[in-house]
Amino acid sequence: MFYAVLLAFLTALSMERSGPARAARDSWWPAQHAPRGFVTVRVRGVPTTAATAVPSGPGTSRVTSAATALTVDMREEMLSASLAGLAALAVNCGEADELVWNDTVVQRYGEWKERTVVRLGLVDRGTFTPWELLERGMRAGWVRGYVAYARDPSGRKAYTAKNASTNESVNVATSLAGIHRAVLIEESLIPRAEALGLRMLADGRVPMPPEDAAQLSRSALSMLDPGVQRNRDVAISQRCWVGYGAGAQAWPMIDRLDDLAPTFGWDEGDEAMHTMTVSVRGHSNTASNWMRNQPFLSAGALDARFPAVVGMPASSVDFADRRPCVALVLSDGDNLQWLSGAFWGPGAPRNMPATPPPGTPPVKPAAYWDHPLHGSFPIGFGACLSSLSQAAPCVLERIGETQPVGTALIEQFAGYWYPDRFAENTGRREELFREFMRRLDAQNHRTGAVMAGMLMLHSNTPGAAEARRWIAEGLHPLLGAFVCDYAPYNAGRGRIDWASNGRGGEVPFVTAGYCLWAGLDTKHPGIGGPDAVADAIARDAAASTALFTRWVSVHAWSSHELADGTKVTGVGAAAALAERLKTRGIRVVRPDELLHRIRRERDGTPPFM
């Protein structure tokens, strides 16, 4: 009997360690429970007609046709986002069993929906307009009222600086929506909402009451432009405080967060400043402001299964080949919204019919993972694999299913934060850093990542040295890390910093030697277009007396015009550089091969395990 009880106890303990409780402890992402079904909400575009002027002679034109397009009613988009958020919140509270998918045909989101539906075995319960779904939510009880807001009349381009006419009441309303289980209703739609029997439970047009602010989440917060509807679903589902251009007013909300909380969205102004604001307080920036349907995609993510990324073992490297070698690594993989969207290709514009009307601009070809040249030469992609494992495992499914043999995946360090400055304002820097690494290590074991990529403000400071040691000791296995400085990316000029892993070995942290970044040819050495960077690498390789091993950061957003007039971006730019390096006798290798060679050259460094 004693042994039977002991066996039962040990079995239960083992199950707890590998079950939901352990998964939650190994995560920093707010969990979204999985439902049994889903509904789709679709905002119908409003037809608009404009005269089209067609040239009819020198200096003249005449109106020959009228073009009809569909414009989306932002008021209904905000309503739809709030419905999705409230449904997700109700699922988390055990009060509902269906999530809301906000319909979209752009980029890969249709595929992400299909993959998630299959993964969770969800039942499709129909498609509704926002007002139809509102009535459904009222009947089911997960919509209890509305919170009013005023439209932002500023007319700014999204995610630019606020001006005197910017109205932020929708951010206050979004903060209040989850607390009161209330949908977002723009003030001109109040009569329509009240005709359905809804009553106002809160008003975003006045300052938030302190008693409401005290109920906001401590697990995350959101930075969202008041003119944008995307990402409001997750803010409401997690009852986040929402601000924009917040500066000092956000600090009290950040300071009340639990340890290692993510910041959803994006803020205005200098990215280093607002990323620093969360970094020094021991949190991370997710760069997720354009992400769609995050609650839906993250449902049940901690239990998701997906193919692990495939690495290159040292046994595959021909160490007898001593030719100069360079690795190319695409930048900005810490950007969650990009990895979920344009990373896969531009897709079709919203509400685009199956047969585009005459005169519609052609869809641009894919520039990144789905670029036609991807797979034809070795390359590395920085990717926030650990964030995707918690926020959108469907994306990891596709990465794992389509990873070319010559492509390496590098964990782009759990989002956007600065390791050299992380948690320095908390008085608990080492404790929080090591705990973050423990959680990241758990996610790395899920994704298969054995390389890290990171952006430091300055990679040659005492804070950077501390970070390297804690990273090397906290992540196992860790083949090595690729490090960029904030400005310029290649400020380290290929310097290698070694850190003990606490297990008798050392880990190389390799700074970028070069950067493929348009328009900077004359501003920093080793930066520019494919020709300039290839020339710089060839000169340095010729002057080197040791094995030449460097890596190039390929700036994801830069476009380069080649001598024949061709414009290249992303993988196309990397391919152009690879071609030029080949003609100069420089081998392009996978990033993990580069690290294996660097480790082999290091005297006394044991084999990677």
Side-chain angles (χ1 to χ4, degrees):
M1 176 66 71
F2 170 79
Y3 288 110
V5 172
L6 178 61
L7 179 61
F9 171 78
L10 293 176
T11 301
L13 180 62
S14 175
M15 291 176 64
E16 188 277 332
R17 285 179 175 173
S18 61
R22 175 59 184 269
R25 288 198 301 271
D26 291 344
S27 172
W28 56 90
W29 212 266
Q32 175 61 55
H33 296 171
R36 290 193 292 268
F38 76 98
V39 296
T40 300
V41 61
R42 180 171 297 157
V43 177
R44 294 170 178 163
V46 179
T48 58
T49 302
T52 302
V54 178
S56 59
T60 65
S61 64
R62 58 187 174 87
V63 176
T64 60
S65 64
T68 300
L70 296 179
T71 60
V72 174
D73 188 334
M74 183 57 69
R75 300 173 303 171
E76 292 199 351
E77 288 276 18
M78 292 289 190
L79 171 58
S80 297
S82 64
L83 286 165
L86 291 177
L89 175 58
V91 169
N92 281 344
C93 295
E95 300 168 0
D97 72 340
E98 64 185 27
L99 290 174
V100 174
W101 177 266
N102 260 303
D103 191 42
T104 175
V105 294
V106 301
Q107 299 161 355
R108 287 283 172 174
Y109 279 88
E111 178 181 341
W112 304 153
K113 174 186 178 181
E114 293 172 3
R115 286 178 177 271
T116 303
V117 167
V118 170
R119 173 171 64 85
L120 298 176
L122 300 180
V123 177
D124 187 345
R125 295 175 179 165
T127 299
F128 304 88
T129 69
W131 295 97
E132 291 169 343
L133 185 58
L134 172 58
E135 293 187 77
R136 181 184 176 92
M138 293 169 63
R139 290 193 299 269
W142 50 266
V143 175
R144 300 175 184 173
Y146 73 88
V147 54
Y149 72 93
R151 181 182 65 87
D152 175 24
S154 60
R156 299 170 299 104
K157 184 179 179 181
Y159 290 97
T160 57
K162 294 186 296 185
N163 57 39
S165 64
T166 301
N167 187 306
E168 298 182 77
S169 65
V170 72
N171 281 348
V172 179
T174 304
S175 303
L176 294 166
I179 296 172
H180 294 281
R181 307 294 185 90
V183 291
L184 300 176
I185 296 294
E186 196 269 337
E187 55 190 1
S188 68
L189 295 178
I190 288 176
R192 183 173 181 180
E194 293 188 342
L196 296 176
L198 274 184
R199 62 188 181 91
M200 187 168 71
L201 301 180
D203 193 339
R205 297 166 295 184
V206 298
M208 188 187 309
E211 59 270 22
D212 284 338
Q215 298 182 62
L216 293 171
S217 173
R218 295 178 181 271
S219 63
L221 59 75
S222 293
M223 297 289 187
L224 300 176
D225 187 303
V228 173
Q229 83 281 18
R230 294 173 198 160
N231 222 232
R232 293 187 186 275
D233 50 1
V234 69
I236 291 171
S237 69
Q238 298 297 332
R239 292 187 265 210
C240 294
W241 178 83
V242 182
Y244 182 67
Q249 66 176 298
W251 298 350
M253 304 307 296
I254 296 174
D255 289 338
R256 68 188 289 277
L257 291 174
D258 294 335
D259 293 343
L260 309 177
T263 300
F264 298 133
W266 191 254
D267 206 357
E268 71 167 358
D270 182 77
E271 68 177 69
M273 184 62 67
H274 60 82
T275 302
M276 177 71 76
T277 298
V278 297
S279 292
V280 298
R281 289 167 170 78
H283 306 297
S284 58
N285 186 345
T286 63
S288 59
N289 50 303
W290 293 114
M291 193 169 180
R292 301 164 183 263
N293 293 296
Q294 186 178 321
F296 194 102
L297 299 180
S298 65
L302 298 184
D303 297 321
R305 298 291 182 267
F306 37 78
V309 298
V310 179
M312 181 180 189
S315 58
S316 299
V317 179
D318 179 8
F319 290 106
D321 189 338
R322 305 282 294 177
R323 287 178 293 169
C325 57
V326 169
L328 312 179
V329 179
L330 203 69
S331 76
D332 287 79
D334 51 18
N335 189 316
L336 179 63
Q337 65 199 14
W338 179 50
L339 267 293
S340 304
F343 181 78
W344 302 96
R350 182 173 176 78
N351 295 325
M352 176 68 72
T355 303
T360 301
V363 175
K364 295 180 180 179
Y368 307 107
W369 191 270
D370 286 346
H371 190 285
L373 291 178
H374 180 210
S376 64
F377 64 98
I379 191 173
F381 284 83
C384 51
L385 305 171
S386 60
S387 295
L388 289 169
S389 69
Q390 302 166 81
C394 52
V395 179
L396 288 180
E397 287 180 2
R398 193 172 195 278
I399 288 176
E401 292 169 4
T402 58
Q403 180 186 353
V405 173
T407 294
L409 275 300
I410 300 163
E411 167 59 47
Q412 195 66 34
F413 234 44
Y416 187 5
W417 52 282
Y418 304 127
D420 52 320
R421 304 292 299 275
F422 185 74
E424 66 179 23
N425 286 12
T426 66
R428 302 163 57 213
R429 172 167 156 80
E430 181 174 356
E431 174 193 348
L432 291 176
F433 203 117
R434 288 188 181 278
E435 172 60 16
F436 202 178
M437 292 304 97
R438 186 195 67 76
R439 299 186 194 183
L440 176 56
D441 187 58
Q443 298 305 319
N444 282 355
H445 281 85
R446 295 182 70 202
T447 66
V450 297
M451 295 181 285
M454 63 201 68
L455 183 64
M456 295 192 183
L457 276 182
H458 303 289
S459 65
N460 60 347
T461 64
E466 285 182 333
R468 288 191 291 269
R469 177 165 60 88
W470 297 332
I471 293 166
E473 292 177 355
L475 303 182
H476 183 70
L478 181 61
L479 177 59
F482 296 90
V483 181
C484 284
D485 286 72
Y486 183 76
Y489 275 10
N490 68 330
R493 301 296 286 132
R495 186 187 71 250
I496 301 175
D497 298 303
W498 293 84
S500 170
N501 65 8
R503 302 175 181 85
E506 290 184 298
V507 175
F509 288 72
V510 189
T511 61
Y514 310 90
C515 185
L516 202 59
W517 193 320
L520 297 182
D521 304 56
T522 60
K523 295 184 178 180
H524 302 287
I527 300 184
D531 290 303
V533 172
D535 288 342
I537 291 173
R539 286 194 301 269
D540 293 346
S544 177
T545 57
L547 178 66
F548 187 83
T549 48
R550 299 288 190 276
W551 73 278
V552 181
S553 176
V554 180
H555 185 233
W557 321 128
S558 284
S559 292
H560 308 265
E561 185 169 348
L562 305 181
D564 62 0
T566 303
K567 292 185 178 180
V568 291
T569 303
V571 169
L577 176 57
E579 179 183 2
R580 284 154 177 74
L581 290 174
K582 182 179 180 180
T583 63
R584 291 163 172 80
I586 310 294
R587 292 182 62 236
V588 174
V589 300
R590 277 181 52 139
D592 32 10
E593 176 176 341
L594 189 85
L595 292 175
H596 283 307
R597 290 183 177 278
I598 289 171
R599 294 174 71 99
R600 181 67 172 261
E601 288 297 299
R602 174 78 164 174
D603 291 338
T605 299
F608 172 65
M609 296 182 291

